[in-house]
Amino acid sequence: MSGRSRRTEAPLRPERELIVVSADGSRLHVETYGPDGAPAVVLSHGWTCDTQFWAAQIRALATDHRVVVYDQRGHGRTPAAGPGGCTTDALADDLEAVLAATLVPGEKAVLAGHSMGGMTLMAAAGRDGLREHAAAVLLCSTGAARLIDDALVVPVRAGRFRTRITRAILGSAAPLGPVTPVSKRILRYATMGAGAAPERVEICARIVHGCPRAVRVAWGQVLAELDLREGVRELRVPTAVIAGAEDRLTPPTQARAIADALPECVGLTVLTGVGHMTPVEAPELVTARIRELVTTYLTASDTGADGRAVDTRTAAPPSTGGGGGREGAEDVDGTVGTVGIEEEVA
């Protein structure tokens, strides 16, 4: 994406904007794009981001998919939660509310989550709402547990000192301030690959710096104590995993642990030269993986009277045999744009 094309690109215009009320009364800002009756995709963004984080996927998919995006609590146009409202259970409640409000009963969708959005899907894995509506799942740049132990933002050896400093960073109330050349360099180091294009760094910086400080701190404290390993084991739908090889926040070790624990993993992809912000850094590859999941697990399904997919997985996932864990990944080589695929593990 060139700077010129970014400046002249038309702003996103949703077909519909609505307010969805979650279990505790929290009000969530939701947007839908694309034609009614088209295969549905629901996108859940990460910590300090908002619906605009998925702009590339929305533009690419909304031509022939119905795309649902929403702002997590305190992010974007969704108000901050009250006391005690920042929990993984609240994330799961919110996702269930969005699915119930935007999909008809029994309608299936491909669900994709980045970072905290992926954690949302893992937190909701045992919920009736996810089981009713998920045809397949994509987890991008996310982790399930021990985030502060594994994070590589602090460039020292693993141990108590690094964990303590990482915890302090996640919970820091220091203001991010305006977007400047210095702040963009810091953001690139912490969250993106070294070769990330300047316009993509700019996109992420504008979004991240727009997150209210109190919201950033509250959710950072939740992430520091995260343990969703049981949710990974409960995610009993075809699930693909994408990670950036240069991700310092949720390194590929996190993605591999998730892939190993998933009951029905349909591929782990590690992208060379890419950091934590995979949907922005490698938008074409993330979009292609979503399309692949739709084609394999959703559009082949029988449809109801209104044309929406209501019966999932008529197309069986590719399999290498055996039980759970990583299945069906195809070998991939070469590069797409400036991003290479380091491995896709079967």
Side-chain angles (χ1 to χ4, degrees), residues 107-144:
E107 182 184 1
K108 298 296 184 179
V110 169
L111 313 183
H114 169 260
S115 191
M116 194 172 80
M119 297 163 197
T120 299
L121 301 181
M122 290 182 275
R127 300 289 188 94
D128 291 340
L130 185 137
R131 290 174 172 172
E132 177 183 1
H133 292 295
V137 162
L138 176 62
L139 300 175
C140 296
S141 308
T142 193

Side-chain angles (χ1 to χ4, degrees), residues 50-134:
D50 59 30
T51 58
Q52 293 299 304
F53 187 80
W54 294 106
Q57 286 70 42
I58 294 169
R59 287 192 173 94
L61 292 170
T63 57
D64 53 355
H65 296 73
R66 189 162 61 89
V67 182
V68 177
V69 292
Y70 68 101
D71 285 322
Q72 301 269 24
R73 295 177 174 220
H75 297 75
R77 294 166 65 183
T78 292
C86 292
T87 66
T88 54
D89 281 342
L91 293 175
D93 288 342
D94 294 351
L95 177 64
E96 278 199 298
V98 170
L99 295 176
T102 58
L103 305 176
V104 300
E107 182 184 1
K108 298 296 184 179
V110 169
L111 313 183
H114 169 260
S115 191
M116 194 172 80
M119 297 163 197
T120 299
L121 301 181
M122 290 182 275
R127 300 289 188 94
D128 291 340
L130 185 137
R131 290 174 172 172
E132 177 183 1
H133 292 295

Side-chain angles (χ1 to χ4, degrees), residues 188-233:
R188 184 202 296 265
Y189 166 79
T191 70
M192 305 181 78
E199 62 269 18
R200 293 179 177 174
V201 177
E202 176 81 18
I203 289 169
C204 289
R206 296 289 175 190
I207 292 172
V208 170
H209 281 244
C211 180
R213 189 193 322 182
V215 171
R216 187 186 81 235
V217 171
W219 284 113
Q221 292 170 345
V222 172
L223 300 183
E225 305 299 332
L226 190 79
D227 190 344
L228 293 173
R229 286 173 288 191
E230 181 59 31
V232 177
R233 293 187 287 269

Side-chain angles (χ1 to χ4, degrees), residues 8 12 52 126 128 148 150 219 292-293:
T8 59
L12 293 173
Q52 293 299 304
D128 291 340
I148 59 174
D150 288 354
W219 284 113
E292 180 185 353
L293 293 172

